[in-house]
Amino acid sequence: MADGKGDEFVEGVQVLDIGLESSRIKNFFKSGSKIKKIAEELGPSLVHFHDPELMFVGKQLRSKFQIPIVFDIHENIAVQILDKTYIPKALRGLVSIVYKKVEQYYLKYFHLIIAEHSYQHVYTNKGKSLTTVLNMPDLSHFEPYINNNRVGNEIFYIGGISNERGLDVTLEALKILKSRETNFFMHYIGPISKEKIVALPLGEIKESIKFYGRMDSKEGFEISKKCVVGLSVLKPIKNYVGSYSTKIFEYMAIGLPVITSNFPLYQNVVERYHCGYCVEPYSSKELADSIEELILNPDLANQMGSNGKKAVKEEFSWHSEKENLINLYHELLN
């Protein structure tokens, strides 16, 4: 953990905080050495890491302790770099190429986990082994936030807040609802700076929307209990189109109807199980129409919520996926 809030125990697991740096660059260069020092003090039997900047540390730990190292890859990273707004657009292609070369060198030292089927072909035969563990919700974590009687006009979003994740289209959709005199209140939970909020063109919807900033997941989902719809309308960026939005399944797990993008991957879940709507990600009108439908028809909203909850329980939960991870650990440690 690197949030600067100190060490803690979470569900019986000790979490060590390496501290929060003042910038992304400082974090990139300093976190690796801090993690390496902690790992050497612990003397682990296995190391499992996610951030690609830790590949160098992973190789060092493998050489020192002769232990298995697991690299958990949650996206096609080289492709994702092409959409990183904090990298100057003119440099993204070069950075992506350089990353591919670096990754290609390091992967052979690690056992690989991928969180999607869509980029399996990218990592096949690149590491010591390859295991797919889909990033599905732990139903026990979401049980306290289930609501089987969703009525009202409140809208929920949790996660990264950006135009790539539908912020601009959502704001325009809310303005359409306002013009129709459809009452609503929008809850935005996720990291966003005060400066960015001030710069947003909120206008007439300013009093009908709240940005909470970064919150603990439990606090955030507590707010979801009074909402009638959850949003995850992503733009058709390469990494999004081919990867599941985890939020979709989290919303489904708590019986919250979903509105998401009309990507075939998402349609195969949301439309197949009738648990929400898939909309054109640039269409604020289509988004407004779908939100309004759920606000004005609580019976429909509750039926969709029930459908989603049932689908997650039967097919899209962490219960089945965790066996793949545990089996990998057993195999590597034995």
Side-chain angles (χ1 to χ4, degrees), residues 177-213:
L177 293 178
K178 197 74 171 179
S179 70
R180 297 175 180 174
E181 299 185 351
T182 301
N183 290 324
F184 67 87
F185 193 88
M186 177 77 211
H187 300 275
Y188 255 112
I189 298 159
I192 183 171
S193 67
K194 292 181 180 178
E195 294 76 16
K196 186 170 183 179
I197 295 173
V198 170
L200 291 174
L202 300 181
E204 65 272 26
I205 63 171
K206 186 175 182 180
E207 302 304 318
S208 300
I209 187 169
K210 183 173 181 178
F211 291 93
Y212 295 80

PDB file of all heavy atoms in Angstrom, residues 177-213:
ATOM      1  N   LEU A 177     -31.620  15.877 -18.406  1.00  0.00           N
ATOM      2  CA  LEU A 177     -32.627  15.523 -17.400  1.00  0.00           C
ATOM      3  C   LEU A 177     -33.154  16.774 -16.699  1.00  0.00           C
ATOM      4  O   LEU A 177     -34.352  16.890 -16.427  1.00  0.00           O
ATOM      5  CB  LEU A 177     -32.032  14.555 -16.375  1.00  0.00           C
ATOM      6  CG  LEU A 177     -31.667  13.151 -16.870  1.00  0.00           C
ATOM      7  CD1 LEU A 177     -31.046  12.333 -15.744  1.00  0.00           C
ATOM      8  CD2 LEU A 177     -32.879  12.431 -17.441  1.00  0.00           C
ATOM      9  N   LYS A 178     -32.250  17.693 -16.425  1.00  0.00           N
ATOM     10  CA  LYS A 178     -32.651  18.938 -15.770  1.00  0.00           C
ATOM     11  C   LYS A 178     -33.620  19.718 -16.657  1.00  0.00           C
ATOM     12  O   LYS A 178     -34.628  20.262 -16.177  1.00  0.00           O
ATOM     13  CB  LYS A 178     -31.409  19.781 -15.476  1.00  0.00           C
ATOM     14  CG  LYS A 178     -31.634  20.888 -14.452  1.00  0.00           C
ATOM     15  CD  LYS A 178     -31.733  20.291 -13.060  1.00  0.00           C
ATOM     16  CE  LYS A 178     -31.729  21.365 -12.003  1.00  0.00           C
ATOM     17  NZ  LYS A 178     -31.852  20.808 -10.632  1.00  0.00           N
ATOM     18  N   SER A 179     -33.324  19.745 -17.966  1.00  0.00           N
ATOM     19  CA  SER A 179     -34.205  20.477 -18.894  1.00  0.00           C
ATOM     20  C   SER A 179     -35.580  19.837 -19.006  1.00  0.00           C
ATOM     21  O   SER A 179     -36.561  20.498 -19.334  1.00  0.00           O
ATOM     22  CB  SER A 179     -33.550  20.552 -20.275  1.00  0.00           C
ATOM     23  OG  SER A 179     -33.526  19.279 -20.913  1.00  0.00           O
ATOM     24  N   ARG A 180     -35.646  18.521 -18.719  1.00  0.00           N
ATOM     25  CA  ARG A 180     -36.925  17.803 -18.763  1.00  0.00           C
ATOM     26  C   ARG A 180     -37.660  17.886 -17.422  1.00  0.00           C
ATOM     27  O   ARG A 180     -38.733  17.292 -17.260  1.00  0.00           O
ATOM     28  CB  ARG A 180     -36.698  16.335 -19.105  1.00  0.00           C
ATOM     29  CG  ARG A 180     -36.100  16.086 -20.482  1.00  0.00           C
ATOM     30  CD  ARG A 180     -35.807  14.601 -20.653  1.00  0.00           C
ATOM     31  NE  ARG A 180     -35.220  14.295 -21.962  1.00  0.00           N
ATOM     32  CZ  ARG A 180     -34.766  13.087 -22.320  1.00  0.00           C
ATOM     33  NH1 ARG A 180     -34.842  12.074 -21.464  1.00  0.00           N
ATOM     34  NH2 ARG A 180     -34.253  12.902 -23.511  1.00  0.00           N
ATOM     35  N   GLU A 181     -37.022  18.549 -16.463  1.00  0.00           N
ATOM     36  CA  GLU A 181     -37.564  18.659 -15.109  1.00  0.00           C
ATOM     37  C   GLU A 181     -37.690  17.300 -14.429  1.00  0.00           C
ATOM     38  O   GLU A 181     -38.596  17.059 -13.621  1.00  0.00           O
ATOM     39  CB  GLU A 181     -38.914  19.398 -15.111  1.00  0.00           C
ATOM     40  CG  GLU A 181     -38.810  20.817 -15.650  1.00  0.00           C
ATOM     41  CD  GLU A 181     -40.115  21.588 -15.547  1.00  0.00           C
ATOM     42  OE1 GLU A 181     -41.155  20.970 -15.222  1.00  0.00           O
ATOM     43  OE2 GLU A 181     -40.099  22.801 -15.776  1.00  0.00           O
ATOM     44  N   THR A 182     -36.764  16.411 -14.780  1.00  0.00           N
ATOM     45  CA  THR A 182     -36.659  15.113 -14.108  1.00  0.00           C
ATOM     46  C   THR A 182     -35.730  15.271 -12.914  1.00  0.00           C
ATOM     47  O   THR A 182     -34.551  15.596 -13.083  1.00  0.00           O
ATOM     48  CB  THR A 182     -36.101  14.037 -15.062  1.00  0.00           C
ATOM     49  OG1 THR A 182     -36.959  13.919 -16.192  1.00  0.00           O
ATOM     50  CG2 THR A 182     -35.980  12.701 -14.353  1.00  0.00           C
ATOM     51  N   ASN A 183     -36.246  15.072 -11.736  1.00  0.00           N
ATOM     52  CA  ASN A 183     -35.431  15.236 -10.529  1.00  0.00           C
ATOM     53  C   ASN A 183     -34.404  14.110 -10.407  1.00  0.00           C
ATOM     54  O   ASN A 183     -34.707  12.939 -10.666  1.00  0.00           O
ATOM     55  CB  ASN A 183     -36.313  15.263  -9.283  1.00  0.00           C
ATOM     56  CG  ASN A 183     -37.141  16.529  -9.203  1.00  0.00           C
ATOM     57  OD1 ASN A 183     -36.690  17.597  -9.586  1.00  0.00           O
ATOM     58  ND2 ASN A 183     -38.372  16.406  -8.701  1.00  0.00           N
ATOM     59  N   PHE A 184     -33.190  14.459  -9.974  1.00  0.00           N
ATOM     60  CA  PHE A 184     -32.128  13.472  -9.783  1.00  0.00           C
ATOM     61  C   PHE A 184     -31.080  14.049  -8.838  1.00  0.00           C
ATOM     62  O   PHE A 184     -31.038  15.258  -8.587  1.00  0.00           O
ATOM     63  CB  PHE A 184     -31.459  13.128 -11.127  1.00  0.00           C
ATOM     64  CG  PHE A 184     -30.684  14.278 -11.718  1.00  0.00           C
ATOM     65  CD1 PHE A 184     -29.358  14.505 -11.365  1.00  0.00           C
ATOM     66  CD2 PHE A 184     -31.286  15.166 -12.598  1.00  0.00           C
ATOM     67  CE1 PHE A 184     -28.654  15.576 -11.885  1.00  0.00           C
ATOM     68  CE2 PHE A 184     -30.590  16.245 -13.129  1.00  0.00           C
ATOM     69  CZ  PHE A 184     -29.260  16.452 -12.769  1.00  0.00           C
ATOM     70  N   PHE A 185     -30.238  13.143  -8.318  1.00  0.00           N
ATOM     71  CA  PHE A 185     -29.036  13.576  -7.597  1.00  0.00           C
ATOM     72  C   PHE A 185     -27.922  12.597  -7.934  1.00  0.00           C
ATOM     73  O   PHE A 185     -28.090  11.382  -7.796  1.00  0.00           O
ATOM     74  CB  PHE A 185     -29.248  13.631  -6.086  1.00  0.00           C
ATOM     75  CG  PHE A 185     -28.136  14.363  -5.379  1.00  0.00           C
ATOM     76  CD1 PHE A 185     -28.210  15.736  -5.208  1.00  0.00           C
ATOM     77  CD2 PHE A 185     -27.012  13.693  -4.941  1.00  0.00           C
ATOM     78  CE1 PHE A 185     -27.172  16.420  -4.588  1.00  0.00           C
ATOM     79  CE2 PHE A 185     -25.968  14.360  -4.331  1.00  0.00           C
ATOM     80  CZ  PHE A 185     -26.049  15.742  -4.149  1.00  0.00           C
ATOM     81  N   MET A 186     -26.783  13.124  -8.366  1.00  0.00           N
ATOM     82  CA  MET A 186     -25.668  12.313  -8.842  1.00  0.00           C
ATOM     83  C   MET A 186     -24.558  12.256  -7.792  1.00  0.00           C
ATOM     84  O   MET A 186     -24.082  13.282  -7.310  1.00  0.00           O
ATOM     85  CB  MET A 186     -25.119  12.933 -10.132  1.00  0.00           C
ATOM     86  CG  MET A 186     -23.900  12.233 -10.698  1.00  0.00           C
ATOM     87  SD  MET A 186     -24.327  10.704 -11.559  1.00  0.00           S
ATOM     88  CE  MET A 186     -22.856   9.711 -11.276  1.00  0.00           C
ATOM     89  N   HIS A 187     -24.153  11.032  -7.428  1.00  0.00           N
ATOM     90  CA  HIS A 187     -23.049  10.815  -6.486  1.00  0.00           C
ATOM     91  C   HIS A 187     -21.812  10.363  -7.260  1.00  0.00           C
ATOM     92  O   HIS A 187     -21.831   9.297  -7.897  1.00  0.00           O
ATOM     93  CB  HIS A 187     -23.420   9.740  -5.466  1.00  0.00           C
ATOM     94  CG  HIS A 187     -24.624  10.066  -4.645  1.00  0.00           C
ATOM     95  ND1 HIS A 187     -24.575  10.833  -3.503  1.00  0.00           N
ATOM     96  CD2 HIS A 187     -25.935   9.718  -4.801  1.00  0.00           C
ATOM     97  CE1 HIS A 187     -25.791  10.944  -2.978  1.00  0.00           C
ATOM     98  NE2 HIS A 187     -26.624  10.278  -3.762  1.00  0.00           N
ATOM     99  N   TYR A 188     -20.748  11.157  -7.217  1.00  0.00           N
ATOM    100  CA  TYR A 188     -19.482  10.803  -7.868  1.00  0.00           C
ATOM    101  C   TYR A 188     -18.444  10.511  -6.794  1.00  0.00           C
ATOM    102  O   TYR A 188     -18.037  11.405  -6.051  1.00  0.00           O
ATOM    103  CB  TYR A 188     -18.990  11.948  -8.753  1.00  0.00           C
ATOM    104  CG  TYR A 188     -19.169  11.710 -10.230  1.00  0.00           C
ATOM    105  CD1 TYR A 188     -20.067  12.467 -10.973  1.00  0.00           C
ATOM    106  CD2 TYR A 188     -18.421  10.734 -10.887  1.00  0.00           C
ATOM    107  CE1 TYR A 188     -20.222  12.247 -12.337  1.00  0.00           C
ATOM    108  CE2 TYR A 188     -18.570  10.517 -12.243  1.00  0.00           C
ATOM    109  CZ  TYR A 188     -19.470  11.274 -12.965  1.00  0.00           C
ATOM    110  OH  TYR A 188     -19.626  11.046 -14.308  1.00  0.00           O
ATOM    111  N   ILE A 189     -18.004   9.268  -6.711  1.00  0.00           N
ATOM    112  CA  ILE A 189     -17.015   8.861  -5.706  1.00  0.00           C
ATOM    113  C   ILE A 189     -15.755   8.387  -6.417  1.00  0.00           C
ATOM    114  O   ILE A 189     -15.771   7.424  -7.181  1.00  0.00           O
ATOM    115  CB  ILE A 189     -17.584   7.737  -4.817  1.00  0.00           C
ATOM    116  CG1 ILE A 189     -18.816   8.254  -4.080  1.00  0.00           C
ATOM    117  CG2 ILE A 189     -16.533   7.237  -3.836  1.00  0.00           C
ATOM    118  CD1 ILE A 189     -19.722   7.180  -3.584  1.00  0.00           C
ATOM    119  N   GLY A 190     -14.664   9.100  -6.171  1.00  0.00           N
ATOM    120  CA  GLY A 190     -13.414   8.754  -6.823  1.00  0.00           C
ATOM    121  C   GLY A 190     -12.478   9.949  -6.847  1.00  0.00           C
ATOM    122  O   GLY A 190     -12.888  11.081  -6.583  1.00  0.00           O
ATOM    123  N   PRO A 191     -11.204   9.704  -7.154  1.00  0.00           N
ATOM    124  CA  PRO A 191     -10.207  10.778  -7.106  1.00  0.00           C
ATOM    125  C   PRO A 191     -10.436  11.840  -8.176  1.00  0.00           C
ATOM    126  O   PRO A 191     -10.546  11.533  -9.359  1.00  0.00           O
ATOM    127  CB  PRO A 191      -8.888  10.028  -7.353  1.00  0.00           C
ATOM    128  CG  PRO A 191      -9.278   8.780  -8.080  1.00  0.00           C
ATOM    129  CD  PRO A 191     -10.624   8.411  -7.547  1.00  0.00           C
ATOM    130  N   ILE A 192     -10.540  13.089  -7.742  1.00  0.00           N
ATOM    131  CA  ILE A 192     -10.645  14.225  -8.650  1.00  0.00           C
ATOM    132  C   ILE A 192     -10.225  15.464  -7.852  1.00  0.00           C
ATOM    133  O   ILE A 192     -10.603  15.619  -6.699  1.00  0.00           O
ATOM    134  CB  ILE A 192     -12.074  14.388  -9.224  1.00  0.00           C
ATOM    135  CG1 ILE A 192     -12.114  15.547 -10.237  1.00  0.00           C
ATOM    136  CG2 ILE A 192     -13.103  14.564  -8.139  1.00  0.00           C
ATOM    137  CD1 ILE A 192     -13.424  15.631 -11.014  1.00  0.00           C
ATOM    138  N   SER A 193      -9.429  16.314  -8.454  1.00  0.00           N
ATOM    139  CA  SER A 193      -8.913  17.482  -7.746  1.00  0.00           C
ATOM    140  C   SER A 193      -9.973  18.573  -7.641  1.00  0.00           C
ATOM    141  O   SER A 193     -10.889  18.651  -8.463  1.00  0.00           O
ATOM    142  CB  SER A 193      -7.684  18.037  -8.479  1.00  0.00           C
ATOM    143  OG  SER A 193      -8.065  18.577  -9.736  1.00  0.00           O
ATOM    144  N   LYS A 194      -9.835  19.415  -6.603  1.00  0.00           N
ATOM    145  CA  LYS A 194     -10.754  20.544  -6.435  1.00  0.00           C
ATOM    146  C   LYS A 194     -10.676  21.493  -7.627  1.00  0.00           C
ATOM    147  O   LYS A 194     -11.677  22.066  -8.046  1.00  0.00           O
ATOM    148  CB  LYS A 194     -10.430  21.283  -5.143  1.00  0.00           C
ATOM    149  CG  LYS A 194     -10.737  20.480  -3.887  1.00  0.00           C
ATOM    150  CD  LYS A 194     -10.421  21.276  -2.624  1.00  0.00           C
ATOM    151  CE  LYS A 194     -10.743  20.459  -1.372  1.00  0.00           C
ATOM    152  NZ  LYS A 194     -10.394  21.201  -0.131  1.00  0.00           N
ATOM    153  N   GLU A 195      -9.461  21.636  -8.169  1.00  0.00           N
ATOM    154  CA  GLU A 195      -9.276  22.519  -9.327  1.00  0.00           C
ATOM    155  C   GLU A 195     -10.058  22.017 -10.532  1.00  0.00           C
ATOM    156  O   GLU A 195     -10.673  22.804 -11.263  1.00  0.00           O
ATOM    157  CB  GLU A 195      -7.783  22.629  -9.672  1.00  0.00           C
ATOM    158  CG  GLU A 195      -6.916  23.314  -8.635  1.00  0.00           C
ATOM    159  CD  GLU A 195      -6.609  22.452  -7.420  1.00  0.00           C
ATOM    160  OE1 GLU A 195      -6.810  21.216  -7.501  1.00  0.00           O
ATOM    161  OE2 GLU A 195      -6.186  23.003  -6.392  1.00  0.00           O
ATOM    162  N   LYS A 196     -10.061  20.711 -10.716  1.00  0.00           N
ATOM    163  CA  LYS A 196     -10.790  20.145 -11.853  1.00  0.00           C
ATOM    164  C   LYS A 196     -12.300  20.299 -11.665  1.00  0.00           C
ATOM    165  O   LYS A 196     -13.028  20.588 -12.618  1.00  0.00           O
ATOM    166  CB  LYS A 196     -10.437  18.676 -12.043  1.00  0.00           C
ATOM    167  CG  LYS A 196     -11.059  18.066 -13.293  1.00  0.00           C
ATOM    168  CD  LYS A 196     -10.520  16.690 -13.597  1.00  0.00           C
ATOM    169  CE  LYS A 196     -11.130  16.160 -14.887  1.00  0.00           C
ATOM    170  NZ  LYS A 196     -10.614  14.808 -15.229  1.00  0.00           N
ATOM    171  N   ILE A 197     -12.764  20.119 -10.432  1.00  0.00           N
ATOM    172  CA  ILE A 197     -14.203  20.282 -10.158  1.00  0.00           C
ATOM    173  C   ILE A 197     -14.643  21.715 -10.460  1.00  0.00           C
ATOM    174  O   ILE A 197     -15.676  21.937 -11.092  1.00  0.00           O
ATOM    175  CB  ILE A 197     -14.518  19.914  -8.694  1.00  0.00           C
ATOM    176  CG1 ILE A 197     -14.257  18.421  -8.451  1.00  0.00           C
ATOM    177  CG2 ILE A 197     -15.970  20.261  -8.362  1.00  0.00           C
ATOM    178  CD1 ILE A 197     -14.389  18.000  -7.003  1.00  0.00           C
ATOM    179  N   VAL A 198     -13.835  22.676 -10.019  1.00  0.00           N
ATOM    180  CA  VAL A 198     -14.157  24.085 -10.245  1.00  0.00           C
ATOM    181  C   VAL A 198     -14.236  24.389 -11.740  1.00  0.00           C
ATOM    182  O   VAL A 198     -15.058  25.199 -12.187  1.00  0.00           O
ATOM    183  CB  VAL A 198     -13.107  24.998  -9.565  1.00  0.00           C
ATOM    184  CG1 VAL A 198     -13.282  26.448 -10.004  1.00  0.00           C
ATOM    185  CG2 VAL A 198     -13.205  24.877  -8.054  1.00  0.00           C
ATOM    186  N   ALA A 199     -13.388  23.713 -12.540  1.00  0.00           N
ATOM    187  CA  ALA A 199     -13.339  23.984 -13.976  1.00  0.00           C
ATOM    188  C   ALA A 199     -14.447  23.279 -14.760  1.00  0.00           C
ATOM    189  O   ALA A 199     -14.643  23.565 -15.943  1.00  0.00           O
ATOM    190  CB  ALA A 199     -11.972  23.554 -14.524  1.00  0.00           C
ATOM    191  N   LEU A 200     -15.178  22.369 -14.118  1.00  0.00           N
ATOM    192  CA  LEU A 200     -16.224  21.636 -14.830  1.00  0.00           C
ATOM    193  C   LEU A 200     -17.405  22.540 -15.180  1.00  0.00           C
ATOM    194  O   LEU A 200     -17.816  23.373 -14.368  1.00  0.00           O
ATOM    195  CB  LEU A 200     -16.722  20.454 -13.982  1.00  0.00           C
ATOM    196  CG  LEU A 200     -15.755  19.297 -13.772  1.00  0.00           C
ATOM    197  CD1 LEU A 200     -16.352  18.280 -12.794  1.00  0.00           C
ATOM    198  CD2 LEU A 200     -15.401  18.616 -15.089  1.00  0.00           C
ATOM    199  N   PRO A 201     -17.998  22.363 -16.359  1.00  0.00           N
ATOM    200  CA  PRO A 201     -19.144  23.187 -16.777  1.00  0.00           C
ATOM    201  C   PRO A 201     -20.454  22.671 -16.174  1.00  0.00           C
ATOM    202  O   PRO A 201     -21.333  22.161 -16.878  1.00  0.00           O
ATOM    203  CB  PRO A 201     -19.127  23.030 -18.300  1.00  0.00           C
ATOM    204  CG  PRO A 201     -18.591  21.644 -18.525  1.00  0.00           C
ATOM    205  CD  PRO A 201     -17.575  21.421 -17.420  1.00  0.00           C
ATOM    206  N   LEU A 202     -20.605  22.811 -14.865  1.00  0.00           N
ATOM    207  CA  LEU A 202     -21.763  22.246 -14.178  1.00  0.00           C
ATOM    208  C   LEU A 202     -23.035  23.070 -14.394  1.00  0.00           C
ATOM    209  O   LEU A 202     -24.119  22.506 -14.559  1.00  0.00           O
ATOM    210  CB  LEU A 202     -21.472  22.102 -12.679  1.00  0.00           C
ATOM    211  CG  LEU A 202     -20.294  21.192 -12.310  1.00  0.00           C
ATOM    212  CD1 LEU A 202     -20.147  21.124 -10.794  1.00  0.00           C
ATOM    213  CD2 LEU A 202     -20.479  19.800 -12.895  1.00  0.00           C
ATOM    214  N   GLY A 203     -22.902  24.390 -14.361  1.00  0.00           N
ATOM    215  CA  GLY A 203     -24.063  25.237 -14.620  1.00  0.00           C
ATOM    216  C   GLY A 203     -25.260  24.893 -13.757  1.00  0.00           C
ATOM    217  O   GLY A 203     -25.186  24.834 -12.528  1.00  0.00           O
ATOM    218  N   GLU A 204     -26.376  24.595 -14.425  1.00  0.00           N
ATOM    219  CA  GLU A 204     -27.654  24.386 -13.729  1.00  0.00           C
ATOM    220  C   GLU A 204     -27.721  23.090 -12.921  1.00  0.00           C
ATOM    221  O   GLU A 204     -28.662  22.896 -12.146  1.00  0.00           O
ATOM    222  CB  GLU A 204     -28.806  24.425 -14.742  1.00  0.00           C
ATOM    223  CG  GLU A 204     -28.795  23.288 -15.774  1.00  0.00           C
ATOM    224  CD  GLU A 204     -27.981  23.596 -17.016  1.00  0.00           C
ATOM    225  OE1 GLU A 204     -27.044  24.427 -16.925  1.00  0.00           O
ATOM    226  OE2 GLU A 204     -28.276  23.018 -18.075  1.00  0.00           O
ATOM    227  N   ILE A 205     -26.758  22.177 -13.085  1.00  0.00           N
ATOM    228  CA  ILE A 205     -26.808  20.919 -12.329  1.00  0.00           C
ATOM    229  C   ILE A 205     -25.901  20.951 -11.103  1.00  0.00           C
ATOM    230  O   ILE A 205     -25.754  19.936 -10.413  1.00  0.00           O
ATOM    231  CB  ILE A 205     -26.440  19.702 -13.212  1.00  0.00           C
ATOM    232  CG1 ILE A 205     -24.991  19.805 -13.710  1.00  0.00           C
ATOM    233  CG2 ILE A 205     -27.419  19.565 -14.376  1.00  0.00           C
ATOM    234  CD1 ILE A 205     -24.491  18.549 -14.394  1.00  0.00           C
ATOM    235  N   LYS A 206     -25.301  22.089 -10.811  1.00  0.00           N
ATOM    236  CA  LYS A 206     -24.327  22.193  -9.728  1.00  0.00           C
ATOM    237  C   LYS A 206     -24.882  21.709  -8.393  1.00  0.00           C
ATOM    238  O   LYS A 206     -24.187  21.047  -7.615  1.00  0.00           O
ATOM    239  CB  LYS A 206     -23.844  23.637  -9.603  1.00  0.00           C
ATOM    240  CG  LYS A 206     -22.715  23.816  -8.591  1.00  0.00           C
ATOM    241  CD  LYS A 206     -22.191  25.234  -8.590  1.00  0.00           C
ATOM    242  CE  LYS A 206     -21.038  25.375  -7.615  1.00  0.00           C
ATOM    243  NZ  LYS A 206     -20.506  26.766  -7.609  1.00  0.00           N
ATOM    244  N   GLU A 207     -26.134  22.020  -8.115  1.00  0.00           N
ATOM    245  CA  GLU A 207     -26.739  21.645  -6.835  1.00  0.00           C
ATOM    246  C   GLU A 207     -27.271  20.210  -6.832  1.00  0.00           C
ATOM    247  O   GLU A 207     -27.747  19.732  -5.793  1.00  0.00           O
ATOM    248  CB  GLU A 207     -27.881  22.613  -6.492  1.00  0.00           C
ATOM    249  CG  GLU A 207     -27.457  24.077  -6.411  1.00  0.00           C
ATOM    250  CD  GLU A 207     -26.331  24.298  -5.421  1.00  0.00           C
ATOM    251  OE1 GLU A 207     -26.390  23.685  -4.328  1.00  0.00           O
ATOM    252  OE2 GLU A 207     -25.395  25.053  -5.732  1.00  0.00           O
ATOM    253  N   SER A 208     -27.200  19.548  -7.978  1.00  0.00           N
ATOM    254  CA  SER A 208     -27.748  18.187  -8.085  1.00  0.00           C
ATOM    255  C   SER A 208     -26.648  17.137  -8.276  1.00  0.00           C
ATOM    256  O   SER A 208     -26.918  16.018  -8.711  1.00  0.00           O
ATOM    257  CB  SER A 208     -28.721  18.108  -9.276  1.00  0.00           C
ATOM    258  OG  SER A 208     -29.775  19.004  -9.111  1.00  0.00           O
ATOM    259  N   ILE A 209     -25.430  17.515  -7.928  1.00  0.00           N
ATOM    260  CA  ILE A 209     -24.310  16.595  -8.098  1.00  0.00           C
ATOM    261  C   ILE A 209     -23.301  16.819  -6.978  1.00  0.00           C
ATOM    262  O   ILE A 209     -23.116  17.950  -6.522  1.00  0.00           O
ATOM    263  CB  ILE A 209     -23.648  16.807  -9.492  1.00  0.00           C
ATOM    264  CG1 ILE A 209     -22.578  15.741  -9.764  1.00  0.00           C
ATOM    265  CG2 ILE A 209     -23.058  18.198  -9.626  1.00  0.00           C
ATOM    266  CD1 ILE A 209     -22.104  15.736 -11.209  1.00  0.00           C
ATOM    267  N   LYS A 210     -22.704  15.738  -6.492  1.00  0.00           N
ATOM    268  CA  LYS A 210     -21.701  15.855  -5.433  1.00  0.00           C
ATOM    269  C   LYS A 210     -20.486  15.008  -5.760  1.00  0.00           C
ATOM    270  O   LYS A 210     -20.615  13.830  -6.110  1.00  0.00           O
ATOM    271  CB  LYS A 210     -22.285  15.421  -4.081  1.00  0.00           C
ATOM    272  CG  LYS A 210     -21.296  15.599  -2.920  1.00  0.00           C
ATOM    273  CD  LYS A 210     -21.936  15.323  -1.567  1.00  0.00           C
ATOM    274  CE  LYS A 210     -20.934  15.527  -0.447  1.00  0.00           C
ATOM    275  NZ  LYS A 210     -21.542  15.314   0.895  1.00  0.00           N
ATOM    276  N   PHE A 211     -19.308  15.630  -5.667  1.00  0.00           N
ATOM    277  CA  PHE A 211     -18.040  14.928  -5.841  1.00  0.00           C
ATOM    278  C   PHE A 211     -17.437  14.712  -4.457  1.00  0.00           C
ATOM    279  O   PHE A 211     -17.114  15.658  -3.750  1.00  0.00           O
ATOM    280  CB  PHE A 211     -17.091  15.754  -6.712  1.00  0.00           C
ATOM    281  CG  PHE A 211     -17.527  15.869  -8.153  1.00  0.00           C
ATOM    282  CD1 PHE A 211     -18.291  16.948  -8.570  1.00  0.00           C
ATOM    283  CD2 PHE A 211     -17.184  14.897  -9.083  1.00  0.00           C
ATOM    284  CE1 PHE A 211     -18.704  17.062  -9.893  1.00  0.00           C
ATOM    285  CE2 PHE A 211     -17.590  14.996 -10.400  1.00  0.00           C
ATOM    286  CZ  PHE A 211     -18.349  16.080 -10.809  1.00  0.00           C
ATOM    287  N   TYR A 212     -17.275  13.453  -4.075  1.00  0.00           N
ATOM    288  CA  TYR A 212     -16.796  13.122  -2.740  1.00  0.00           C
ATOM    289  C   TYR A 212     -15.283  13.000  -2.675  1.00  0.00           C
ATOM    290  O   TYR A 212     -14.706  13.013  -1.594  1.00  0.00           O
ATOM    291  CB  TYR A 212     -17.396  11.782  -2.279  1.00  0.00           C
ATOM    292  CG  TYR A 212     -18.895  11.811  -2.106  1.00  0.00           C
ATOM    293  CD1 TYR A 212     -19.760  11.696  -3.191  1.00  0.00           C
ATOM    294  CD2 TYR A 212     -19.464  11.929  -0.835  1.00  0.00           C
ATOM    295  CE1 TYR A 212     -21.135  11.706  -3.031  1.00  0.00           C
ATOM    296  CE2 TYR A 212     -20.839  11.933  -0.657  1.00  0.00           C
ATOM    297  CZ  TYR A 212     -21.669  11.827  -1.762  1.00  0.00           C
ATOM    298  OH  TYR A 212     -23.024  11.844  -1.593  1.00  0.00           O
ATOM    299  N   GLY A 213     -14.632  12.841  -3.831  1.00  0.00           N
ATOM    300  CA  GLY A 213     -13.209  12.550  -3.830  1.00  0.00           C
ATOM    301  C   GLY A 213     -12.962  11.087  -3.521  1.00  0.00           C
ATOM    302  O   GLY A 213     -13.872  10.257  -3.518  1.00  0.00           O
TER     303      GLY A 213
END
